[in-house]
């Protein structure tokens, strides 16, 4: 089952819980219940519009590092929600399914979900213009409020008892180094999890004598941040990115079609973008976008060539949990 406690405020939702291998039907039922849950008498935190936590009722301010942590188990996972609440819930579902595979020990977690922050991230992604200039010139948009909010959430989770922190959101990793600076617990990097799994898979080049090529399909903001390219190159892969024409004529129109609820158009455009990368002899393509991840039907042959970073992050999280429990 999934035991949860939800603390809901105008600007912030905190979800505490323990994952113990339910059926998918039960999880979906609980997913709706926790949103409507009534905060208990031990309500602790509120958040203002800047994302900072303040004292509430008789409790202490964990965001400032004071007070008793919520979670006391050494394998507690802290989760920072991102652009999409659905993507965050999908990540939790993956943890549930993975925990059920071996009979399932509980996975204690603390989830910080912030609707205003999600809107801010989405606005950043959509405002990111198409450009072939350098990363430094591309990042003209002011991301300091996003970084501050991410850091506040990281500190809160750290002080609430999380022994490991994960961020199931691609674009949030654009500021990974700034957010993790000074953190006392490991923060798993989604792109690093993907790159290590691909390395362990011992793939063979599609063409004899050629390097192993991995394609990356993502939004402009995620591609410009460059962390997928960096992590993959660190593991010895050659990285294949969509060129400007592919972005302008397939990827961006696909996302625009998705926003218009034109699912068929979005799906067809995504297929074209994937085929363009695969034609360039990419062994696999990383679908590094919350928008694109669920566009293709489960039986689509192209999915066999795709990598979902959320899967890799969930598997790496489970490995960390098992390792942490083993070392207790």
């Amino acid at each position: 089952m999934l035991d949860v406690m939800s603390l809901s405020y105008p600007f912030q939702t905190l979800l505490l819980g323990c994952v113990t291998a339910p059926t998918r039907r039960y999880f979906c039922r609980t997913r709706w219940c926790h949103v409507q849950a009534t905060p208990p008498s031990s309500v602790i935190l509120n958040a203002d519009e800047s994302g900072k936590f303040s004292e509430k009722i008789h409790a202490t301010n964990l965001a400032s590092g004071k007070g008793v942590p919520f979670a006391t188990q050494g394998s507690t996972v802290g989760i920072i929600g991102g652009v999409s609440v659905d993507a965050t819930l999908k990540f939790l579902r993956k943890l549930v399914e993975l925990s059920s595979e071996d009979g399932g020990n509980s996975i204690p977690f603390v989830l910080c979900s912030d609707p205003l922050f999600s809107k801010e991230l989405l606005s950043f992604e959509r405002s990111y213009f198409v450009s072939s200039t350098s990363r430094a010139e591309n990042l003209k948009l002011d991301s300091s409020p996003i970084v501050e909010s991410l850091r506040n959430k990281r500190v809160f989770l750290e002080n609430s008892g999380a022994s490991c922190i994960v961020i199931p959101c691609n674009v949030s990793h654009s500021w990974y180094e700034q957010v993790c600076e000074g953190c006392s617990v490991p923060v798993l990097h989604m792109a690093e999890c993907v790159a290590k799994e691909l390395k362990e898979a011992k793939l063979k080049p599609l063409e004899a004598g050629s390097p192993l090529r991995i394609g990356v399909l993502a939004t402009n903001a995620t591609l410009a941040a460059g962390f997928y390219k960096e992590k993959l190159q660190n593991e010895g892969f050659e990285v294949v990115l969509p060129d400007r024409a592919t972005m302008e004529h397939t990827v961006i129109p696909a996302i625009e079609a998705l926003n218009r609820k034109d699912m068929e158009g979005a799906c067809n455009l995504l297929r074209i973008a994937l085929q363009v990368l695969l034609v360039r002899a990419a062994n696999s393509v990383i679908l590094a976008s919350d928008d694109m991840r669920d566009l293709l039907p489960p039986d689509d042959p192209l999915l066999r060539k795709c990598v979902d970073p959320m899967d890799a992050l969930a598997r790496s999280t489970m490995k960390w949990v098992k390792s942490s429990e083993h070392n207790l």
Side-chain angles (χ1 to χ4, degrees), residues 221-292:
T222 297
L223 290 176
F227 53 85
Y228 271 103
K229 183 176 181 180
E230 175 192 348
K231 299 299 181 182
L232 289 165
Q233 288 180 339
N234 287 345
E235 296 295 343
F237 294 106
E238 183 176 309
V239 182
V240 181
L241 302 177
D243 57 22
R244 181 167 181 166
T246 301
M247 291 297 295
E248 290 183 344
H249 299 299
T250 60
V251 178
I252 293 173
I255 295 174
E256 291 173 345
L258 179 61
N259 292 334
R260 295 193 307 269
K261 308 299 182 184
D262 176 9
M263 307 307 291
E264 183 179 356
C267 191
N268 289 335
L269 287 164
L270 175 59
R271 285 195 181 100
I272 294 171
L274 286 170
Q275 288 165 348
V276 167
L277 291 180
L278 292 171
V279 163
R280 294 166 64 186
N283 287 66
S284 302
V285 177
I286 299 169
L287 274 177
S289 167
D290 295 336
D291 290 318
M292 302 175 197

Side-chain angles (χ1 to χ4, degrees), residues 133-145:
T133 56
S134 68
R135 178 187 177 194
E137 291 176 348
N138 265 335
L139 295 181
K140 290 179 179 178
L141 295 173
D142 182 15
S143 60
S144 56

Side-chain angles (χ1 to χ4, degrees), residues 130-176:
V130 178
S131 175
S132 59
T133 56
S134 68
R135 178 187 177 194
E137 291 176 348
N138 265 335
L139 295 181
K140 290 179 179 178
L141 295 173
D142 182 15
S143 60
S144 56
I146 296 176
V147 174
E148 182 180 4
S149 184
L150 280 168
R151 282 184 61 87
N152 286 338
K153 290 167 176 56
R154 184 223 88 195
V155 171
F156 166 71
L157 291 173
E158 192 179 357
N159 292 324
S160 70
S163 299
C164 172
I165 295 173
V166 295
I167 311 172
C169 171
N170 284 287
V171 71
S172 291
H173 285 72
S174 303
W175 308 280
Y176 176 87

Side-chain angles (χ1 to χ4, degrees), residues 26-269:
Y26 185 91
F27 179 85
C28 292
R29 244 175 62 194
T30 308
R31 165 180 166 182
W32 287 106
C33 290
H34 78 67
V35 173
Q36 299 169 0
T38 301
S41 59
S42 59
V43 172
I44 292 180
L45 295 173
N46 202 349
D48 59 23
E49 296 184 26
S50 69
K52 293 184 178 180
F53 295 95
S54 58
E55 268 190 12
K56 185 72 174 177
I57 307 181
H58 55 278
T60 53
N61 187 346
L62 288 176
S64 65
K66 301 174 182 178
V68 179
F70 287 125
T72 57
Q73 296 189 46
S75 57
T76 298
V77 177
I79 305 169
I80 300 177
V83 171
S84 167
V85 174
D86 287 338
T88 304
L89 290 173
K90 181 179 178 181
F91 177 76
L92 284 174
R93 186 180 296 114
K94 289 178 185 293
L95 290 182
V96 172
E97 292 169 350
L98 288 172
S99 70
S100 67
E101 290 179 355
D102 58 1
N105 291 324
S106 298
I107 305 173
F109 68 88
V110 182
L111 166 63
C112 191
S113 179
D114 180 351
L116 287 184
F117 175 67
S118 298
K119 289 181 180 179
E120 201 167 11
L121 275 177
L122 183 60
S123 176
F124 180 88
E125 275 200 318
R126 289 181 175 176
S127 300
Y128 212 89
F129 56 88
V130 178
S131 175
S132 59
T133 56
S134 68
R135 178 187 177 194
E137 291 176 348
N138 265 335
L139 295 181
K140 290 179 179 178
L141 295 173
D142 182 15
S143 60
S144 56
I146 296 176
V147 174
E148 182 180 4
S149 184
L150 280 168
R151 282 184 61 87
N152 286 338
K153 290 167 176 56
R154 184 223 88 195
V155 171
F156 166 71
L157 291 173
E158 192 179 357
N159 292 324
S160 70
S163 299
C164 172
I165 295 173
V166 295
I167 311 172
C169 171
N170 284 287
V171 71
S172 291
H173 285 72
S174 303
W175 308 280
Y176 176 87
E177 288 79 11
Q178 295 158 272
V179 173
C180 297
E181 184 179 358
C183 188
S184 62
V185 301
V187 182
L188 301 187
H189 195 298
M190 189 149 60
E192 190 172 305
C193 295
V194 174
K196 287 184 176 180
E197 282 199 351
L198 288 170
K199 184 72 171 180
E200 292 168 0
K202 299 186 183 300
L203 303 171
K204 297 185 181 299
L206 295 181
E207 300 173 350
S210 299
L212 280 164
R213 296 190 179 99
I214 302 297
V216 181
L217 206 57
T219 62
N220 286 317
T222 297
L223 290 176
F227 53 85
Y228 271 103
K229 183 176 181 180
E230 175 192 348
K231 299 299 181 182
L232 289 165
Q233 288 180 339
N234 287 345
E235 296 295 343
F237 294 106
E238 183 176 309
V239 182
V240 181
L241 302 177
D243 57 22
R244 181 167 181 166
T246 301
M247 291 297 295
E248 290 183 344
H249 299 299
T250 60
V251 178
I252 293 173
I255 295 174
E256 291 173 345
L258 179 61
N259 292 334
R260 295 193 307 269
K261 308 299 182 184
D262 176 9
M263 307 307 291
E264 183 179 356
C267 191
N268 289 335
L269 287 164

